[in-house]
Amino acid sequence: MTFKGRAERLGWQRGSVCDGGGIPSYWKSFPASGCDTFLAVEGMYIGMDMYTSVKLQDLFFVRGGSVEVGSYTYDDPQGDDDPRVLTFGQVPPIVFSEVMGDLKKIAAPGAGD
């Protein structure tokens, strides 16, 4: 529950709800920059308890509005070859900085890299 609370207080939203109530990602939009950010998570479910651990995984910067989010919508970015994924050179520096700051606040202290 700590991850959910921290992320949502910083403006991140739950991604699509998929099979078994799984939530594969959280995302944050930066409309003025035309960029959205998707953070893949492992172990996140609608009915999870407060003792369940969530593992932060891949982070993608994508063109704003290019990923569809909704119930049983399987459209999360899948890798560097996804045409919606922006290269680091295409990500506005202020967006990159804000996302890195958010991740530092969201991740549990001492939780790894």
Side-chain angles (χ1 to χ4, degrees):
M1 296 307 215
T2 301
F3 165 80
K4 180 182 181 298
R6 288 177 182 167
E8 291 179 3
R9 276 192 300 277
L10 292 168
W12 290 77
Q13 300 175 54
R14 181 182 72 201
S16 298
V17 178
C18 298
D19 288 337
I23 301 167
S25 66
Y26 260 67
W27 67 285
K28 187 171 184 178
S29 183
F30 299 89
S33 71
C35 180
D36 293 338
T37 303
F38 280 78
L39 174 62
V41 294
E42 181 181 304
M44 185 80 174
Y45 297 90
I46 289 292
M48 67 187 281
D49 61 38
M50 68 171 124
Y51 303 107
T52 303
S53 293
V54 174
K55 181 179 177 183
L56 307 183
Q57 295 185 308
D58 296 329
L59 176 73
F60 295 101
F61 294 92
V62 298
R63 288 188 328 275
S66 65
V67 176
E68 188 177 341
V69 178
S71 294
Y72 294 97
T73 303
Y74 298 86
D75 194 37
D76 285 356
Q78 297 299 313
D80 294 337
D81 59 341
D82 188 322
R84 302 169 297 183
V85 174
L86 302 174
T87 65
F88 281 118
Q90 295 172 309
V91 178
I94 191 91
V95 171
F96 182 81
S97 178
E98 184 169 333
V99 169
M100 293 301 112
D102 283 358
L103 292 180
K104 186 174 181 178
K105 293 173 188 169
I106 290 170
D113 297 331

